[in-house]
Structures are given as C-alpha cells and as structure tokens.
Amino acid sequence: MSSSTKSSKGEPKLPEEDVPDSAVRRRMLKSFGWFAVASVVPIGIYNWIKRSPKAMGTLKPLRDILNTNEAIARTYFSNTHLVRTYPVEEAAPKARTNGYDGLKSPVPEDWKLTIETPDKQPLQLTIDDIKALPKQEIVYEFKCIEGWSQIQHWGGVRLSDFMAHHKLGTHSGNAPNPEATHDLFKYIGLETPDKGYYVGIDMESALHPQTLLAYELNGQPITAPHGAPLRLIIPVKYGVKNLKRIGRLFFADERPRDFWAERGYDYYVGL
Amino acid sequence: MKRIVHKHPLAIRWFHWINFPILFVMIWSGLLIYWAYHPYKIEVGDYTLLTFFPNGFFKFLNIPRRLAEGMAWHFVFMWIFLINGLLYVGYTFISGEWRHLVPDRNSFREAIQVTLYDLGFRKTQPPFIKYNGAQKIAYFSIMLMGIGSVLTGYAIYKPTQFSWLTRLLGGYKAARLEHFALTIGYVLFFFVHVGQVIRAGWHNFQSMVTGVEVVKANEPGQPEVTEPDDDQPVGPFEPTLSPIDSPTRPALS
C-alpha cells in the first residue's frame, strides 16, 4: 500500500495508504490527545524548577546544572590554553571600571597582603615584597560578565611564580607542582580588607600562566578604583573574579564563599 | 475511505515540538543576558534606524535586570537545545529524511516561483513532494543557524578553552554579535513560519501533530488538502487556495 518510489530528483515520494474514515478520526484523536499530554510536560518542568528551593541565590536545579557545567569545563581546562594577547598599542588608554564593592573606604595606609594556610603561621607581605619578584605584563581582552569586553594592559607578578617563591598552596609546604594535584589545595580564597567583596578560585585557574597579582595598569601603579595597591588579573575568568584591593589570600579544600555566586551567579565563571 | 499521506515521522514531530519551548527559554534568557549590556543598533550615518532594544522595550515587557537568572537558564537549556538538535540532525540523515530537506539547484528557482505565488504574482506553485523550494531553503537554513548558534555560543562561553573557535568567528565581540544576529533570525523565521502555517491551514498544521495529511481518495500525487467541497479540482499546490485559483492545474512532474 505504501509507495516509496523515488522521483527523478532522488527525493522519495511520501508513502500513502487508503484507510477507513473511522481510522483517520481515531488517529486524530489519539495524536491530539498525546499532544495535549506532552505539552503539560514543559509546563510541569517549568513549575518544578520555579518551585524548587534556592541554592546560593538561584534555584536548586539551575545551581546543580551550573555546578555540572563546572565539572565538565574543568575536564577540558588546560594550562596550555592561553588567552589571546594583543600588541600593547591596542590597549584601552582608560580602562573601564565597574563596581565598588569592597572599595568603599580609602586604601588602608598600612596595607599588607595577609596569606593564610591552614595549620601554618600567616604570612604578611608589603607591596615592595611583591614587586621584588619578576614582573610579567599582559595585554588581553578583559571580559565582564555583563557582556562588554575591553583590551587592557596589566603588569604584576605571576601568581604561580609568587606561590612557588613563597612555597604556598600545598599541604606539604613545598612549591606547588601542577602535576602533584593531591598536594595542592583545591581553592584559593581572596577578600578585600573590609571583607565587602570576596571570591573563590579553583587552583588550576589560579596556577594558569596568565594569572597575575597585578600592581600596574598601562605601566602605572593601579589607582584606587582599579584596586590599588594589588588586585587579581585572572584572564581565564570573567571580571567578577578579578578581585580588587586584595587584603587576605587563603588556601582551602572547600569552596571559599563568593560574593556573586551567593547572588545567583555561576561559581566557576571560567572562560 | 480516505487516502492519507505519511508526511512527518514521529521522531521529526517530537524534535520539532520539543524545540519550541526550548527556543522560547533560550531567547527569553538570552534577552535577560543581553539586557545587562545592550549596545546593538543599526545606524545609517548618524541616524539610528533601529536599536536592539531600547529601555522602553524591556520596561514594556516588564523585564527586570536579572542577569544571573538569565545566565542560569541559558546555560541549562543550552544542553537540551544541543541534544535535541543533534538527535534531529542525526535522525534526518539516518532516516533519509534529509532528501526532503536539503535544497538542490532546482530549489532556488522553485523558491522564486513560490515567492511570486505567495505574493500573488503567479497563480500556481511548482509541484513538490514534501516541501517546496522555499520551505527547503528556509528549514535547511534554520538547521544551519542552529549549528551556528551552538558554535558562536561556545565561542562566547569559553573563549580561552575554545580560542580557535573564537578566532575563527572573528573574535569575542564578533561572536557575540553573530550569536545575537542569529537569534534575531529565529524570531523573524518564527513570525514568517507561523504566518505561513496559518495560511496553509488546518490540514497542514495537524499533519505536524498526527504525522499524516488526508487527501482525496484515489487521487495520486501530492499531500493535498481536500476541502469539504469535493468538486474542487485537486492539484499540486499548497493548501488553502482560494477557489478562483483552482481551475488551473499543472501536470504532475
């Protein structure tokens, strides 16, 4: 009954058959019945998501999938995937600032970077201690979670060099070895001196060769709105993780709290 | 007795209808993301022809700035969009349905004739089997656009991990614009598509639900709508012809 002879162009004819009127009617009723039942499913899924409890500022099913996305992203994250860099002339002469959380008071006169490792004495460093290490510069496209981006020119010390020099980020107290993952703490937490802004960063991203503790913008010491005297520049993350005016840096195996993740954003925000 | 034509396999109908709520969520959540930074406009010289989208648009739809929520929905439903799209493309090729869908050299000439017919400059459509040339081009383009949305989406989502892709698409900013332009394309397609479905009539619409289109018994050829008035000659044109168009009936190819 059904014919599927091919037309000259190679497109098959549609199969046809003769059926009683009652069979046609039955088919219509059945199909539209299923259609009606099936269209309840997306409404049900939507309602289920909407009625779920919140988990860190967003609905639990959404949070679970954002965390799953993180797990997937971390499988293909690689320190050899470098952020694209540009010639220094392309950098914006006036880098954009966005957000003043954690910067609402003046820069503390006695600013020091406090570094805490579990079961160890905290380390306190001045900006000169940090500038004593080899300087690294990067011109790359800074990306804000809002969607804008801008080519910016930053200078500072590689976070991985800094950690190697001060033997930080490991349980053993040795310099971090990216191969020996079991020895590394899983996260780095960062906070402004007033604790008004805080982020948590996975260790792989922190050890990325383009991640800097930055103290220069366009060759000049960074200004207060850009996070003087020391900020994080982590090109493999959106701007929200690039903490300005770092006061405290600590290591942990549990995710440190994170300002924007608590407000419903993805914790990882990896690029 | 009635003659039915098996027009849309069950799988195609599922993929089609599942895509509908998914695309709705993707466009809606995409709008929430775009709202956080919405610079796109079409300018001719100094004159702004069209702004995507001015503040009034969001106020009118009562959309608050909910970037976090937009991103969460977008990054969840992107997987469903991707999986549904992969299954659709995979099925189309395995089942041979692609033969109905992929345009050939003829389709472009045919599409012009279909358009002339749609605009009323031509009385009849050229004969076709499942989709006419214009439909083939439109549906195949939409499939390519879906692939484009996934690729531009990944270029924005992971511009470092997939930097080759971001570079290939012209950089981060370009990929974002392309991603946006594709979305505008879907919205335009949606309105034309719905308009054409309304025009084609109930028999055509219901075949996307039931899979079959009813034709007059013993009439060879096209999936063709028989209106209750059985005296109407049946020819290989789209459904919902006005009666005056009917008497001219081109021979089947």
Side-chain angles (χ1 to χ4, degrees):
Chain A
M1 284 238 272
S2 71
S3 61
S4 57
T5 49
K6 288 192 175 173
S7 78
S8 55
K9 278 183 276 175
E11 186 179 344
K13 290 248 165 63
L14 297 170
E16 295 184 14
E17 58 182 320
D18 291 317
V19 293
D21 291 17
S22 59
V24 173
R25 220 169 12 251
R26 218 169 29 245
R27 191 182 179 117
M28 296 275 165
L29 283 171
K30 208 175 111 189
S31 295
F32 276 93
W34 277 113
F35 190 71
V37 170
S39 45
V40 175
V41 172
I43 298 166
I45 293 173
Y46 179 79
N47 284 334
W48 170 69
I49 294 175
K50 276 303 231 191
R51 285 202 213 107
S52 301
K54 288 226 166 183
M56 291 175 78
T58 192
L59 300 158
K60 178 93 178 7
L62 302 182
R63 176 62 71 193
D64 288 346
I65 298 192
L66 292 179
N67 288 339
T68 308
N69 287 352
E70 166 174 348
I72 295 166
R74 289 175 79 161
T75 63
Y76 57 71
F77 178 90
S78 164
N79 269 358
T80 61
H81 293 163
L82 295 182
V83 173
R84 182 179 179 181
T85 54
Y86 296 82
V88 73
E89 308 84 68
E90 288 191 39
K94 266 187 80 132
R96 186 167 166 172
T97 55
N98 210 33
Y100 292 89
D101 292 295
L103 306 178
K104 282 159 190 163
S105 51
V107 183
E109 300 247 331
D110 59 344
W111 179 91
K112 272 189 179 141
L113 175 64
T114 304
I115 296 158
E116 290 171 13
T117 304
D119 309 321
K120 292 214 172 79
Q121 280 293 319
L123 184 64
Q124 294 232 318
L125 297 171
T126 65
I127 193 72
D128 290 329
D129 294 333
I130 292 157
K131 286 181 177 173
L133 293 172
K135 189 166 92 179
Q136 184 73 31
E137 293 186 39
I138 185 169
V139 183
Y140 81 107
E141 193 171 9
F142 180 98
K143 295 172 191 74
C144 178
I145 202 162
E146 291 170 1
W148 56 266
S149 59
Q150 187 181 50
I151 298 174
Q152 299 178 349
H153 172 200
W154 295 93
V157 55
R158 257 193 200 131
L159 184 55
S160 57
D161 288 352
F162 176 84
M163 283 165 62
H165 180 85
H166 292 287
K167 296 188 165 55
L168 296 168
T170 56
H171 292 279
S172 65
N174 296 323
N177 172 5
E179 311 285 297
T181 44
H182 60 276
D183 188 29
L184 295 171
F185 282 99
K186 292 195 173 67
Y187 292 94
I188 293 187
L190 300 146
E191 284 175 355
T192 54
D194 66 357
K195 306 204 185 311
Y197 199 111
Y198 37 91
V199 296
I201 284 159
D202 53 283
M203 185 58 86
E204 308 90 272
S205 300
L207 289 176
H208 188 275
Q210 291 172 311
T211 299
L212 304 182
L213 285 175
Y215 47 78
E216 277 183 9
L217 169 61
N218 288 335
Q220 301 294 316
I222 52 185
T223 57
H226 282 294
L230 188 71
R231 70 170 296 174
L232 186 69
I233 285 295
I234 181 160
V236 293
K237 301 283 184 195
Y238 281 118
V240 285
K241 293 279 191 192
N242 290 242
L243 190 92
K244 292 170 179 171
R245 198 191 289 177
I246 307 167
R248 175 170 164 251
L249 189 159
F250 61 95
F251 299 96
D253 281 324
E254 298 295 317
R255 273 180 169 186
R257 65 191 190 127
D258 187 275
F259 186 86
W260 286 109
E262 284 172 4
R263 285 156 181 77
Y265 287 84
D266 177 12
Y267 189 97
Y268 184 66
V269 298
L271 294 170
Chain B
M1 291 292 259
K2 272 193 173 145
R3 169 147 285 212
I4 57 170
V5 178
H6 291 270
K7 202 172 171 192
H8 303 294
L10 181 64
I12 295 281
R13 286 177 273 147
W14 273 103
F15 299 139
H16 172 267
W17 288 111
I18 289 171
N19 213 28
F20 182 70
I22 297 172
L23 259 182
F24 180 80
V25 172
M26 290 309 279
I27 292 170
W28 174 257
S29 57
L31 207 52
L32 293 180
I33 296 171
Y34 178 70
W35 181 219
Y37 175 61
H38 51 117
Y40 301 144
K41 47 183 85 151
I42 299 173
E43 281 173 325
V44 180
D46 286 339
Y47 182 72
T48 304
L49 209 61
L50 184 63
T51 306
F52 299 102
F53 294 91
N55 286 343
F57 174 83
F58 294 95
K59 287 210 182 87
F60 176 74
L61 288 177
N62 201 19
I63 304 177
R65 289 177 189 262
R66 290 183 303 194
L67 173 61
E69 196 185 328
M71 292 180 97
W73 285 92
H74 214 68
F75 296 157
V76 170
F77 276 75
M78 67 179 188
W79 295 116
I80 311 176
F81 178 75
L82 177 68
I83 291 165
N84 193 54
L86 286 175
L87 290 176
Y88 171 74
V89 173
Y91 176 82
T92 307
F93 279 87
I94 290 166
S95 67
E97 278 286 309
W98 65 272
R99 290 173 196 280
H100 294 298
L101 193 72
V102 180
D104 56 24
R105 214 189 299 173
N106 256 330
S107 306
F108 293 90
R109 208 186 53 215
E110 198 180 309
I112 294 168
Q113 290 164 342
V114 171
T115 310
L116 290 175
Y117 163 78
D118 281 346
L119 297 173
F121 296 121
R122 203 191 128 101
K123 288 216 163 166
T124 58
Q125 282 196 77
F128 61 93
I129 292 175
K130 182 168 176 178
Y131 299 130
N132 64 44
Q135 281 177 305
K136 280 184 187 171
I137 292 166
Y139 300 159
F140 190 68
S141 308
I142 274 288
M143 193 184 79
L144 294 181
M145 284 166 65
I147 296 169
S149 285
V150 170
L151 294 179
T152 52
Y154 269 101
I156 316 168
Y157 185 54
K158 300 289 167 191
T160 304
Q161 307 309 320
F162 297 109
S163 60
W164 58 271
L165 182 64
T166 313
R167 259 174 195 266
L168 197 72
L169 293 166
Y172 183 74
K173 283 179 182 158
R176 189 180 191 256
L177 178 62
E178 289 152 13
H179 196 69
F180 181 83
L182 286 167
T183 309
I184 297 295
Y186 293 134
V187 175
L188 295 178
F189 170 83
F190 177 80
F191 286 112
V192 175
H193 186 56
V194 171
Q196 291 282 43
V197 168
I198 292 169
R199 211 176 112 100
W202 173 253
H203 283 262
N204 173 67
F205 170 77
Q206 66 84 25
S207 72
M208 202 62 214
V209 178
T210 64
V212 300
E213 196 155 318
V214 180
V215 292
K216 196 174 146 192
N218 305 323
E219 190 69 38
Q222 305 304 315
E224 178 49 59
V225 178
T226 6
E227 296 296 333
D229 176 9
D230 274 349
D231 291 330
Q232 270 189 39
V234 174
F237 7 79
E238 272 276 85
T240 67
L241 283 176
S242 66
I244 24 167
D245 286 332
S246 304
T248 46
R249 182 186 160 196
L252 288 169
S253 58

